[in-house]
Amino acid sequence: MTKSVLIFGAAGQLGVELVREFTARRAQVHPFTRRQIDLTDGAQVQRAIEQTQPDLVLNAAAYNMVDLAEQDPAGAYAVNALAVRSMAVACRQFDAKFVHFSTDYVFDGQRRVPYTENDPTHPLGAYAVSKLAGELYAQAYLDALVIRTAVVFGPGGRATPRGNFVETMLKKAEEQKTTGKPLLVVNDQTASPTYAPWLAARTADLVDLGQTGVFHGGGEQAVTFYDYAQLIFRAAKLEVNLQPADERQFRTPARRPKYSVLRNERMRALGLAPMPNLENLITEYLQGQ
Ligand SMILES: NC(=O)c1ccc[n+]([C@@H]2O[C@H](COP(=O)([O-])OP(=O)(O)OC[C@H]3O[C@@H](n4cnc5c(N)ncnc54)[C@H](OP(=O)(O)O)[C@@H]3O)[C@@H](O)[C@H]2O)c1
């Protein structure tokens, strides 16, 4: 196990699980949150890595506001691409290994079978372009490990302002009690929701195995957001008037892939455990509420 680990984005959904997982595996963990560091300032990034002298840097920070990124592409690029470049440059300089997280949105969703690590990328908007640029920067200066994930949910999402899809659905169910209006959820976008504690554990496994290059780390269970909402309400034992909708009823500033299920081809080849059943994990998540 790596001895000293610096974690950027340590207060995010995935970040809190990485802190927990690497601490449990007896690493000396140095968590950095936005309160301590603005990652768009390259000098601050360099200083954090220089002062900590970690064996490994993990970057779980991101500008995740997919629609806002269309009005603020430079803001998304600063966090998702240029900050990653600062990290990679400093990791090379101070001989640290580097792990960075990316997204299923690097794909355009034209296929109907899960995407593997070898499939060509074609991002559809400012957020997705910035994340793909981050992947390239991560790998431009050293042999980084890049893990693409999707629709992340985890206990950290209960405390963060943006939360996650589970929290959004629970809030909408509560609102429905007063509005009485049906809850419309898109049924023509399919992805593979991913449980952050599982992803953190697989990340530590990949680090232990000395892996580099691009890996997929998604939940692998293909669901539309409507299906996902149904699973959430069933696990939460909530009666909700839920209705399927299509993307045209929710025209958002950003285009999104219609299908972005990830197949974890390289993890499978290494014999790493796939994510357990999604509904059981939603139940586990809800039990922690
Ligand atoms: N969430 C998803 O559904 C999803 C889907 C696909 C891929 N991913 C990828 O998975 C990784 C982890 O995502 P997540 O769900 O854990 O995201 P998250 O909960 O939104 O956490 C991201 C963290 O990054 C921090 N951050 C943003 N800009 C920063 C800056 N300029 N300086 C310092 N910190 C900054 C945020 O701080 P603030 O909260 O203060 O802004 C937040 O704590 C990311 O690479 C993301 O792109 C996520």
Side-chain angles (χ1 to χ4, degrees):
M1 164 48 64
T2 308
K3 289 187 276 309
S4 168
V5 181
L6 187 163
I7 301 178
F8 290 123
Q13 286 195 96
L14 178 59
V16 296
E17 302 305 333
L18 291 169
V19 171
R20 194 196 317 273
E21 185 67 33
F22 279 83
T23 303
R25 295 193 190 204
R26 300 186 182 287
Q28 188 191 359
V29 174
H30 305 275
F32 281 83
T33 67
R34 192 202 270 273
R35 288 173 63 187
Q36 292 152 293
I37 191 166
D38 177 4
L39 295 171
T40 61
D41 180 342
Q44 288 189 38
V45 171
Q46 157 105 10
R47 208 160 39 244
I49 294 175
E50 184 172 5
Q51 286 174 355
T52 314
Q53 293 284 323
D55 303 303
L56 172 70
V57 172
L58 297 157
N59 177 33
Y63 184 121
N64 272 338
M65 295 159 288
V66 178
D67 289 315
L68 210 59
E70 294 304 321
Q71 294 152 36
D72 180 26
Y77 200 83
V79 179
N80 293 341
L82 297 178
V84 182
R85 177 187 175 275
S86 303
M87 292 172 202
V89 167
C91 283
R92 176 165 179 261
Q93 191 178 351
F94 297 105
D95 274 332
K97 290 180 187 152
F98 186 38
V99 179
H100 174 63
F101 293 89
S102 187
T103 172
D104 53 336
Y105 277 25
V106 296
F107 298 113
D108 62 15
Q110 293 299 307
R111 296 166 51 127
R112 286 297 174 271
V113 289
Y115 286 91
T116 74
E117 293 87 349
N118 290 326
D119 286 315
T121 54
H122 177 204
L124 297 183
Y127 163 79
V129 167
S130 71
K131 291 295 290 183
L132 182 60
E135 289 189 6
L136 298 176
Y137 275 131
Q139 298 174 98
Y141 300 92
L142 72 171
D143 287 331
L145 170 62
V146 173
I147 305 175
R148 293 184 186 136
T149 189
V151 200
V152 177
F153 72 108
R158 291 191 204 114
T160 53
R162 273 184 303 283
N164 55 39
F165 188 76
V166 182
E167 294 303 316
T168 305
M169 287 301 105
L170 295 178
K171 205 165 113 215
K172 296 272 180 200
E174 199 54 40
E175 283 167 14
Q176 190 176 79
K177 286 184 190 160
T178 43
T179 65
K181 287 189 188 152
L183 173 55
L184 301 177
V185 178
V186 286
N187 199 27
D188 58 353
Q189 280 171 14
T190 303
S192 46
T194 308
Y195 195 44
W198 169 83
L199 180 59
R202 292 296 79 76
T203 300
D205 291 343
L206 290 172
V207 168
D208 282 349
L209 292 168
Q211 296 296 313
T212 57
V214 175
F215 274 77
H216 283 182
E220 294 194 301
Q221 192 171 327
V223 289
T224 68
F225 283 89
Y226 172 77
D227 299 333
Y228 188 20
Q230 278 189 315
L231 291 180
I232 293 164
F233 294 137
R234 197 157 68 207
K237 299 188 176 32
L238 287 174
E239 290 285 333
V240 176
N241 180 359
L242 179 68
Q243 290 182 13
D246 68 42
E247 179 257 337
R248 280 190 305 279
Q249 291 165 271
F250 287 98
R251 248 314 123 80
T252 52
R255 288 169 80 200
R256 287 169 166 77
K258 290 262 184 200
Y259 182 97
S260 58
V261 177
L262 299 175
R263 181 179 159 91
N264 306 337
E265 192 81 14
R266 292 190 67 195
M267 280 199 199
R268 285 175 185 224
L270 291 168
L272 295 180
M275 195 181 87
N277 173 274
L278 177 60
E279 192 167 357
N280 293 346
L281 291 173
I282 297 169
T283 304
E284 182 180 314
Y285 174 93
L286 293 172
Q287 280 166 352
Q289 294 273 343

